Amino acid sequence: MAKGNGFTMSNDSSGTKVSLPKVDFSSFIMSLYSSGLVQLGKVEDPSTGKKSVNFDLARQTIDMIAMLEEKTKGNLTEEENNLLKALLVEIRMAFVEAKT
């Protein structure tokens, strides 16, 4: 599989090239975690500016993070593994708090 140079170039609405941040495992997991917090109504949805709760979608996001933990076992750096475990604990706790 070909590897990129760590960033993607795209055009914004004015046609100007925009440099996007590098995508790595940690940023991917952080993105899933952030989505889960939005789905639990813990933070505002950036697209609407409003908080709303969708437990089914939040549960699916948590399950995806747990699946990644299982599927990547033994293939992560210590830092990535620690981040994954910590975020999974935090999002599960946030789910329990939101349900009560």
Side-chain angles (χ1 to χ4, degrees):
M1 173 183 266
K3 292 192 177 193
N5 57 3
F7 67 93
T8 304
M9 299 298 287
S10 64
N11 292 330
D12 67 9
S13 60
S14 69
T16 305
K17 294 279 185 178
V18 177
S19 181
L20 299 175
K22 180 180 177 183
V23 176
D24 59 13
F25 187 78
S26 294
S27 63
F28 176 62
I29 293 300
M30 288 295 296
S31 175
L32 287 174
Y33 171 77
S34 297
S35 294
L37 292 180
V38 169
Q39 295 154 0
L40 290 171
K42 297 290 185 180
V43 296
E44 294 175 350
D45 183 332
S47 63
T48 64
K50 297 179 181 176
K51 291 182 179 182
S52 63
V53 177
N54 184 330
F55 289 118
D56 291 333
L57 199 52
R59 169 56 35 207
Q60 185 177 42
T61 300
I62 293 166
D63 289 345
M64 283 191 290
I65 297 170
M67 178 199 60
L68 286 169
E69 178 185 41
E70 179 65 28
K71 295 292 186 178
T72 60
K73 198 171 286 182
N75 293 310
L76 300 176
T77 66
E78 184 177 350
E79 183 179 282
E80 290 168 335
N81 191 51
N82 290 341
L83 177 65
L84 178 59
K85 287 186 180 304
L87 293 180
L88 192 52
V89 167
E90 287 182 29
I91 196 73
R92 284 176 169 158
M93 291 300 295
F95 185 87
V96 170
E97 288 172 7
K99 290 286 276 189
T100 58

